[in-house]
Amino acid sequence: MTTSIVRATLFIAAYFALYLSMLMLIPAAVDLYVGNPDWQIFAISAFSVAGLALATIFATQAPPPPPSSRLAFLVVNALWLTLSLVGALPLYMSSLDISFIEALFEGVSGATTTGSTVLVGLDDLPPGLLLWRSILQWMGGVGVIALGVFILPYLNIGGFSFFRIESSDIEDRPFARFSTFSVSILMIYTALTALCALFYVMGGMSVFDAVNHSMTTLATAGFSTHDASFGHFADQPMLLWTAIVFMIIGGLPFTVLVLFAFRGQTEAARDPQITLFLCLIAGAAFAVTIWLIVYQDWSFFRALTHALFNIVSIITTTGYASDDYTSWGPFAVVLFFAATWLGGCSGSTSGGTKPYRFLILWQLLRTGLQRLLFPKIVTPIRYGGRLVSTDMQAAVLLFVSTSLVLWIVLSVALAAMGLDLVTALSGSLTALMNVGPAFGPIIGPAGNFGALSDGALLVLIFGMLLGRLEILTVLVLFSPLFWRR
């Protein structure tokens, strides 16, 4: 049984790699058009990946095994590893002077929509390389939606969609068939990306910058075509406000967007996690705005624009930066560090802990305190009026506790490699939460991950994959029970 599952996983991953090889022809065509020799690298990479993928497809053809959670776990991990490795290949083979580990870090950061980078001189890089990084993040963003909406709920490890909590009513779904649902999500995702690009062009971006930033904005991913990130456009408020709007949209559940777009239904927008998500953004942005006005002597509009932009960027785990917010003072730094834990809604392109988990944790805490006072009281845990199953409660507690333990473990590993405490703590956290920039002079919003050793980059690569796949999806593969027949 294990052999057939591995064979099926390799078969699926090979098909996915074949599709990715076709996507490589897009940056190849762009580089060929502008006369950059890197088009040959993308062409060679595309044909090499396609050849290996076709050979694997023919070698692993067999009747598919029956659907199972083990197959789902393996496929999810294999697809993200495939996207990361294929994404790293042209970066490593290109004119960039980077090691394979650095290329892999960039590929994983792109595939997981983290946005951390080891590259410098982005303003002068060939357009094909910049476009390829954006394509990786765009692909990772739509993959995250599929992971959160379709796969994790099936595996009962903490994935959440609004119709999964104690309900199997078909009318709660946007469409009866998930294939139709997935196509609808892709249509919404693509349309919003195009609309974002249009607004960026109207705001003053070049068409190339607009295309790249629209892909990484909707994916809440954070790769930019400039070393200064969105700081390159810091004096263009329309661009900042456009990014704010579309980052927030990327942080919303796509199930809600599909219901609104295709069914005209607004009831799903009452999902409690959306309310908490928006309230956290508003509260944090208001606090930072007041701080900048009072203690940094900024004008109201400038303070509001940059406070809201950077808070939305961190909470949605996009990772853009319009300014070095670590220079805004201790209050702002502490608040941004706390915001790194939050994340967007489940079923969105965002990473992080996610608001629905905080809502369930709050109810568990409140219920626990009530039982201390009244041991015989029976208080069910509810989310939006629906009962939360004991499995979901356990999954939330397991995710949060495991996240904390892993944060400590990864931080200790980075510190053991010689990194200072701030860099180690914030680097491991930003990897697990898939945020992008961290804190400190090395990897802060004004810094870069290129100064880290290969060992530290490998630790962060593992952290990014853990965070993107909701931690338990990866850890389960290390259990001996998983591999037993």
Side-chain angles (χ1 to χ4, degrees):
M1 180 62 73
T2 301
T3 302
S4 64
I5 288 176
V6 172
R7 184 194 300 269
T9 301
L10 290 173
F11 183 78
I12 296 169
Y15 257 110
F16 183 50
L18 188 61
Y19 296 141
L20 293 176
S21 70
M22 299 176 189
L23 286 176
M24 286 185 189
L25 299 178
I26 298 175
V30 171
D31 274 344
L32 180 62
Y33 177 77
V34 300
N36 189 282
D38 270 1
W39 73 267
Q40 301 173 59
I41 298 300
F42 281 103
I44 292 172
S45 298
F47 286 110
S48 300
V49 170
L52 181 60
L54 287 172
T56 305
I57 288 171
F58 287 123
T60 55
Q61 279 185 324
S68 66
S69 59
R70 287 205 298 172
L71 176 61
F73 279 118
L74 273 179
V75 167
V76 168
N77 282 275
L79 292 184
W80 250 269
L81 284 174
T82 300
L83 180 59
S84 301
L85 290 169
V86 172
L89 181 61
L91 297 175
Y92 177 61
M93 295 177 61
S94 71
S95 55
L96 296 172
D97 184 21
I98 57 175
S99 67
F100 175 73
I101 297 300
E102 290 173 323
L104 181 61
F105 177 90
E106 197 77 10
V108 172
S109 181
T112 59
T113 70
T114 301
S116 304
T117 183
V118 297
L119 303 182
V120 294
L122 295 176
D123 303 73
D124 301 317
L125 286 186
L129 286 174
L130 295 173
L131 183 60
W132 179 240
R133 294 165 75 245
S134 301
I135 289 173
L136 281 179
Q137 294 209 312
W138 195 83
M139 290 290 294
V142 74
V144 169
I145 299 170
L147 180 73
V149 174
F150 303 122
I151 301 173
L152 296 184
Y154 163 70
L155 298 176
N156 285 321
I157 61 168
F160 173 86
S161 57
F162 70 94
F163 54 83
R164 278 289 294 180
I165 293 185
E166 290 296 308
S167 176
S168 58
D169 297 332
I170 196 70
E171 61 267 18
D172 282 337
R173 300 177 184 176
F175 299 98
R177 297 182 61 183
F178 279 126
S179 59
T180 308
F181 189 11
S182 60
V183 170
S184 302
I185 285 179
L186 183 58
M187 290 173 62
I188 292 289
Y189 190 63
T190 304
L192 286 171
T193 304
L195 186 62
C196 182
L198 176 61
F199 275 98
Y200 277 149
V201 171
M202 292 170 59
M205 271 191 191
S206 68
V207 173
F208 182 75
D209 276 352
V211 169
N212 280 274
H213 285 91
S214 64
M215 285 193 283
T216 61
T217 300
L218 254 295
T220 58
F223 274 166
S224 176
T225 54
H226 302 281
D227 283 330
S229 186
F230 240 84
H232 186 80
F233 310 103
D235 58 348
Q236 296 174 267
M238 181 177 175
L239 294 179
L240 296 178
W241 282 94
T242 297
I244 289 168
V245 170
F246 283 95
M247 284 190 291
I248 290 175
I249 292 174
L252 295 175
F254 271 69
T255 49
V256 173
L257 299 179
V258 169
L259 277 174
F260 178 75
F262 290 96
R263 295 291 176 86
Q265 297 180 13
T266 59
E267 294 83 359
R270 299 171 186 168
D271 188 338
Q273 67 170 332
I274 297 178
T275 303
L276 180 58
F277 169 62
L278 297 177
C279 286
L280 288 171
I281 288 175
F286 175 77
V288 175
T289 299
I290 298 301
W291 172 268
L292 291 174
I293 292 172
V294 175
Y295 292 97
Q296 302 292 324
D297 199 28
W298 286 25
S299 67
F300 172 76
F301 183 73
R302 181 190 176 200
L304 176 63
T305 299
H306 286 274
L308 186 58
F309 177 91
N310 289 284
I311 283 294
V312 168
S313 179
I314 294 298
I315 289 181
T316 61
T317 70
T318 304
Y320 288 146
S322 66
D323 194 70
D324 183 6
Y325 46 78
T326 61
S327 66
W328 291 356
F331 173 77
V333 170
V334 170
L335 198 149
F336 275 101
F337 184 80
T340 304
W341 283 97
L342 301 179
C345 298
S346 180
S348 72
T349 60
S350 299
T353 306
K354 296 187 169 60
Y356 85 90
R357 289 194 176 99
F358 289 111
L359 289 168
I360 293 175
L361 281 174
W362 167 249
Q363 287 216 46
L364 288 171
L365 175 61
R366 187 178 63 178
T367 300
L369 294 175
Q370 288 176 341
R371 287 174 180 167
L372 287 176
L373 297 173
F374 309 101
K376 295 184 179 180
I377 193 173
V378 177
T379 306
I381 304 298
R382 294 183 177 275
Y383 179 95
R386 292 178 175 174
L387 290 174
V388 179
S389 68
T390 54
D391 286 344
M392 178 63 75
Q393 295 174 38
V396 168
L397 290 172
L398 184 59
F399 176 89
V400 173
S401 59
T402 306
S403 297
L404 290 169
V405 171
L406 283 171
W407 177 45
I408 295 171
V409 170
L410 295 181
S411 297
V412 169
L414 291 175
M417 295 177 184
L419 296 181
D420 63 272
L421 187 61
V422 172
T423 301
L425 288 173
S426 64
S428 58
L429 180 61
T430 197
L432 280 174
M433 299 294 117
N434 301 122
V435 171
F439 296 85
I442 301 175
I443 57 176
N448 186 278
F449 286 74
L452 302 186
S453 67
D454 284 353
L457 292 179
L458 284 172
V459 171
L460 294 176
I461 286 171
F462 184 56
M464 288 188 288
L465 288 170
L466 282 170
R468 186 75 288 172
L469 298 179
E470 300 268 308
I471 295 177
L472 302 176
T473 311
V474 178
L475 293 184
V476 72
L477 299 186
F478 294 90
S479 169
L481 290 174
F482 181 86
W483 300 100
R484 290 180 184 173
R485 292 183 179 273

